[in-house]
């Protein structure tokens, strides 16, 4: 049975009349019920109709398993019906109101990734990824979406392919100190790495990880759409708290006073210099960070001129196209001096009074793996919109211009752009 996702927009729950709340359709009979209020659950229990389809995404839910199940044929049907629905909407724009588009999410069209001719050519010439030994695996494995869990899956893919984190877990370095290992997120991550690098080709279902995330980070619980960045920070925080009891975690030699595997890989030091505009005295603080949040140009946000070379040359390894925002642009804005103004005066230790000042952020210590968070949502008194600005980034990023040491060298007139690209620790 296939149900047109577009036509299903006019369907309502047969018990409460709502057209939202994750509407599902029974695959045995003509019944629509909302998942959030468990009306589809009641129907399944009384009628013993144990399969239903999510009308927004086409996922099939089994009430016996109490989970979404993967079926290749049904996924293909769902994609085809979704394409038909979008074509139908394109030709009949008056059928769906603006309110319905906003409330049901039909206005958010997500196209699937299709390889370009160039990518297909590269894949044909490179059918296998590099293996170190004949018996090793590359960890290339898919993850099943458990209902709006793409935010979790993309972060899991990133973490499982972080070399040092992979080596830590695959060498069995974690020693669990919890009374119940089944409730330890680090133990589950260790199992996840084993699953990824087991050589299995079938998609993995990370339901235990999702359950533990809900347990340890309750603000992420539920099947609502969540933010990938928020999940990353929550996951790193839980992993850090569980790992810092290890022998390595008790050694304090980094800005976070912890040497657990999470801090060894992801922790850097952010230097904040506040300069008094009267006596020019500088107050410096250094704080640990796991990620750097970068502003993007939006409709109501004044931004900076593009980097030199926006005429098509290469700057910091980035090929600039005219008018393109780059990751280097975002970092230049993040590390530029900011005048705090008269409404944010700070008491100067030199003047012993409140004075206007400037604040500048730079990197005191770079992490082994740098995480950049692009602020893709713009908030104002009247609207909250997603910023769709294209941001280009290089395969190799030189962080030297954004380091505190570079700022100090410039102030002393000693700064020189490094010419030896092979001997640069800031790349």
């Amino acid at each position: 049975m296939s149900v047109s996702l577009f036509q299903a927009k006019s369907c309502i729950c047969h018990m409460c009349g709502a057209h939202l709340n994750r509407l599902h359709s029974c695959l045995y009979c003509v019944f629509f019920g909302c998942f959030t209020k468990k009306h589809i659950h009641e129907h399944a229990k009384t009628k013993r109709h144990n399969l239903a389809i999510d009308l927004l995404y086409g996922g099939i839910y089994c009430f016996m398993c109490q989970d979404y199940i993967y079926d290749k044929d049904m996924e293909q049907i769902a994609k085809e019906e979704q394409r038909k629905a979008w074509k139908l909407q394109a030709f009949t724009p008056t059928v769906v109101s603006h309110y319905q588009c906003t409330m049901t999410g039909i206005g958010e069209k997500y196209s699937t990734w299709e390889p370009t001719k160039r990518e297909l050519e590269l894949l044909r010439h490179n059918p296998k990824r590099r293996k170190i030994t004949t018996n090793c695996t590359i960890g290339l494995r898919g993850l099943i979406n458990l209902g709006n869990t793409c935010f979790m899956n993309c972060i899991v893919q990133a973490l499982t392919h972080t070399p040092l984190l992979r080596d830590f877990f695959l060498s069995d370095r974690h020693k669990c100190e919890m009374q119940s290992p089944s409730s330890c997120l680090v133990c589950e991550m260790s199992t996840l790495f084993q699953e990824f690098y087991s050589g299995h080709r079938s998609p993995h279902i990370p339901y235990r990880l999702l359950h533990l995330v809900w347990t340890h980070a309750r603000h992420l619980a539920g099947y609502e759409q969540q933010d990938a960045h928020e999940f990353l920070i929550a996951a790193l925080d839980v992993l850090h708290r569980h790992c810092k009891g290890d022998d390595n975690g008790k050694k304090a030699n980094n800005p976070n006073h912890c040497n657990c595997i999470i801090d060894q890989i992801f922790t850097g030091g952010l230097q904040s210099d506040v300069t008094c505009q009267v006596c020019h005295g500088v107050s410096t603080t250094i704080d640990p960070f796991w990620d750097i949040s970068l502003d993007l140009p939006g409709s109501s946000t004044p931004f900076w001129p593009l980097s030199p070379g926006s005429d098509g040359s290469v700057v910091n390894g980035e090929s600039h196209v005219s008018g393109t925002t780059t990751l280097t642009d975002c970092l230049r804005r993040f590390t530029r001096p900011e005048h705090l103004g008269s409404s944010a005066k700070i008491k100067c230790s030199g003047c012993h009074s409140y004075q206007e000042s400037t604040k500048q952020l730079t990197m005191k210590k770079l992490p082994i793996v740098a995480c950049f968070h692009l602020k893709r949502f713009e908030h104002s008194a009247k609207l909250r919109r997603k910023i769709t600005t294209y941001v280009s980034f290089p395969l190799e990023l030189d962080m030297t211009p954004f380091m505190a040491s570079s700022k100090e060298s410039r102030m002393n007139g000693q700064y020189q752009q490094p010419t030896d690209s092979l001997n640069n620790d800031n790349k």
Side-chain angles (χ1 to χ4, degrees):
M1 172 186 177
S2 63
V3 179
S4 169
L5 298 183
F6 175 78
Q7 292 173 343
K9 297 298 174 182
S10 61
C11 301
I12 60 173
C13 174
H14 286 185
M15 297 186 73
C16 68
H19 68 280
L20 301 176
N21 299 327
R22 295 178 62 206
L23 196 62
H24 282 58
S25 171
C26 176
L27 288 182
Y28 293 81
C29 66
V30 182
F31 180 88
F32 297 96
C34 53
F35 196 94
T36 306
K37 295 183 178 180
K38 297 190 180 297
H39 292 152
I40 192 67
H41 298 70
E42 295 173 24
H43 172 79
K45 185 177 181 180
T46 56
K47 300 289 186 179
R48 295 188 178 180
H49 293 176
N50 292 316
L51 291 175
I53 184 168
D54 181 333
L55 293 183
L56 188 58
Y57 296 103
I60 299 175
Y61 189 88
C62 173
F63 291 94
M64 296 288 287
C65 304
Q66 296 185 7
D67 204 348
Y68 286 92
I69 59 176
Y70 176 77
D71 182 87
K72 186 176 181 181
D73 293 334
M74 287 301 296
E75 183 184 35
Q76 192 58 41
I77 291 172
K79 288 181 179 179
E80 184 59 34
E81 293 295 330
Q82 193 173 42
R83 279 193 288 268
K84 290 179 184 177
W86 279 107
K87 286 181 181 178
L88 184 59
Q89 188 196 3
F91 286 110
T92 56
T94 58
V95 173
V96 181
S97 67
H98 173 73
Y99 171 78
Q100 286 174 311
C101 289
T102 305
M103 295 304 290
T104 62
I106 195 173
E108 299 178 14
K109 182 179 180 181
Y110 297 100
S111 58
T112 56
W113 172 79
E114 296 291 344
T116 63
K117 290 182 179 179
R118 172 63 177 158
E119 288 166 338
L120 287 172
E121 184 181 339
L122 287 171
L123 288 170
R124 276 194 294 269
H125 286 88
N126 301 276
K128 293 183 179 180
R129 295 175 66 177
R130 187 180 62 175
K131 291 185 175 184
I132 299 172
T133 60
T134 55
N135 63 344
C136 75
T137 63
I138 56 176
L140 191 63
R141 193 172 182 185
L143 286 166
I144 294 293
N145 193 328
L146 301 176
N148 289 334
T149 58
C150 49
F151 71 95
M152 179 183 78
N153 289 357
C154 69
I155 296 299
V156 167
Q157 290 284 5
L159 292 177
T160 51
H161 291 90
T162 300
L164 286 176
L165 201 60
R166 175 201 62 203
D167 295 347
F168 175 85
F169 282 110
L170 292 184
S171 58
D172 202 22
R173 296 288 300 279
H174 170 60
K175 297 177 177 60
C176 185
E177 297 182 359
M178 297 186 68
Q179 293 180 348
S180 175
S182 62
S183 61
C184 176
L185 185 68
V186 190
C187 288
E188 178 55 33
M189 283 298 293
S190 181
T191 303
L192 196 66
F193 275 87
Q194 293 172 31
E195 289 284 352
F196 259 81
Y197 291 92
S198 64
H200 295 312
R201 294 296 186 92
S202 60
H204 179 65
I205 307 173
Y207 63 92
R208 286 193 299 269
L209 176 66
L210 181 63
H211 172 72
L212 286 173
V213 168
W214 287 359
T215 302
H216 294 290
R218 295 193 177 277
H219 63 289
L220 294 175
Y223 285 102
E224 302 298 322
Q225 292 187 24
Q226 301 289 354
D227 182 68
H229 167 250
E230 190 176 5
F231 174 79
L232 170 66
I233 298 304
L236 292 181
D237 179 59
V238 174
L239 289 170
H240 159 72
R241 284 191 276 116
H242 284 211
C243 285
K244 67 180 180 181
D246 294 345
D247 292 337
N248 287 335
K250 294 170 183 174
K251 301 173 185 176
N253 64 354
N254 72 11
N256 209 25
H257 307 294
C258 176
N259 203 36
C260 73
I261 187 62
I262 299 302
D263 284 308
Q264 286 186 60
I265 296 174
F266 296 100
T267 298
L270 185 66
Q271 179 168 316
S272 173
D273 294 318
V274 178
T275 306
C276 174
Q277 294 297 285
V278 176
C279 69
H280 301 292
V282 180
S283 174
T284 300
T285 57
I286 299 173
D287 295 307
F289 70 87
W290 277 334
D291 70 317
I292 297 294
S293 293
L294 302 172
D295 288 317
L296 293 177
S299 62
S300 60
T301 307
F303 216 55
W304 60 88
L306 294 176
S307 293
S310 58
D311 56 349
S313 61
V314 176
V315 176
N316 203 355
E318 294 172 297
S319 296
H320 284 250
V321 180
S322 181
T324 300
T325 300
T326 69
L327 181 61
T328 307
D329 291 326
C330 299
L331 286 166
R332 285 174 58 230
R333 177 182 172 88
F334 180 79
T335 56
R336 70 179 182 180
E338 176 188 3
H339 184 67
L340 298 180
S342 57
S343 60
K345 290 183 178 180
I346 295 176
K347 189 170 184 178
C348 176
S349 57
C351 300
H352 302 291
S353 61
Y354 287 91
Q355 303 289 352
E356 291 190 21
S357 57
T358 59
K359 178 181 178 180
Q360 185 173 13
L361 299 173
T362 50
M363 311 294 168
K364 180 65 176 178
K365 173 184 177 292
L366 288 174
I368 295 174
V369 174
C371 301
F372 297 109
H373 164 226
L374 302 180
K375 296 180 182 178
R376 286 217 169 264
F377 285 96
E378 185 177 29
H379 301 271
S380 66
K382 295 182 179 180
L383 62 97
R384 178 180 181 272
R385 61 181 288 273
K386 188 172 183 178
I387 300 173
T388 57
T389 303
Y390 177 85
V391 180
S392 69
F393 60 93
L395 293 177
E396 186 178 74
L397 178 67
D398 185 3
M399 292 293 288
T400 302
F402 315 112
M403 299 296 295
S405 56
S406 297
K407 175 191 173 186
E408 293 160 4
S409 298
R410 281 194 297 268
M411 292 176 66
N412 297 331
Q414 301 171 344
Y415 179 75
Q416 291 183 340
Q417 186 72 27
T419 54
D420 188 357
S421 60
L422 297 177
N423 197 19
N424 189 350
D425 294 332
N426 298 327
K427 287 190 177 181

